[in-house]
């Protein structure tokens, strides 16, 4: 059952990284018919979220255009939690290298 829960988490991550941030994956249902096992994951996708205008605000230590060169979320059509997380880490590293 642990492997199926990991699979459900992977499916959930896939949806969250492809614009469906409200997606919910139910616990897998297992049914045996003869010698076969059937595993069903019920998925509620929710709305598809797109990336709109992206801005960088605050106390900028570099020109905004330079900071935009390091991030990827503004190049995506659909919202991705993974890419947003990676961009936040990249920007945090830039500021940490400058002592912030």
């Amino acid at each position: 059952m642990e492997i199926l829960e990991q699979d459900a988490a992977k499916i959930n991550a896939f949806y969250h990284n492809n614009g469906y941030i409200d997606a919910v994956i139910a616990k897998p249902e297992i049914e045996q018919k003869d010698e076969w096992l059937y595993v069903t994951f019920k998925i509620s996708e929710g709305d598809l979220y797109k990336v709109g205008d992206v801005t960088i605000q605050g106390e900028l230590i570099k020109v905004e255009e330079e900071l935009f060169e390091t991030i990827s979320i503004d190049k995506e059509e659909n919202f991705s939690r993974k890419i947003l997380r990676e961009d936040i880490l990249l920007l945090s590293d830039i500021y940490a290298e400058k002592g912030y």
Side-chain angles (χ1 to χ4, degrees):
M1 192 66 167
E2 184 179 323
I3 292 174
L4 291 177
E5 289 174 7
Q6 290 174 3
D7 289 343
K10 289 177 185 176
I11 293 168
N12 200 34
F14 173 82
Y15 272 90
H16 289 177
N17 292 329
N18 286 282
Y20 294 94
I21 60 173
D22 295 328
V24 177
I25 313 303
K27 289 192 175 207
E29 297 174 5
I30 303 169
E31 181 181 0
Q32 183 174 358
K33 291 184 182 176
D34 300 321
E35 71 270 7
W36 296 95
L37 284 178
Y38 293 87
V39 179
T40 304
F41 291 94
K42 291 187 178 176
I43 301 170
S44 174
E45 291 180 341
D47 293 330
L48 174 63
Y49 289 83
K50 304 280 187 179
V51 175
D53 294 330
V54 177
T55 60
I56 300 175
Q57 298 178 347
E59 296 193 29
L60 304 181
I61 61 172
K62 289 187 174 186
V63 179
E64 187 177 10
E65 290 78 25
E66 286 182 48
L67 294 173
F68 267 112
E69 290 175 9
T70 63
I71 64 171
S72 301
I73 194 73
D74 61 322
K75 298 166 189 74
E76 296 294 316
E77 181 178 343
N78 297 329
F79 179 80
S80 170
R81 282 190 176 171
K82 178 183 176 197
I83 291 175
L84 179 62
R85 193 174 320 117
E86 290 170 354
D87 285 350
I88 290 170
L89 289 173
L90 285 170
L91 291 172
S92 295
D93 286 347
I94 289 170
Y95 275 77
E97 287 173 4
K98 298 290 185 184
Y100 292 92

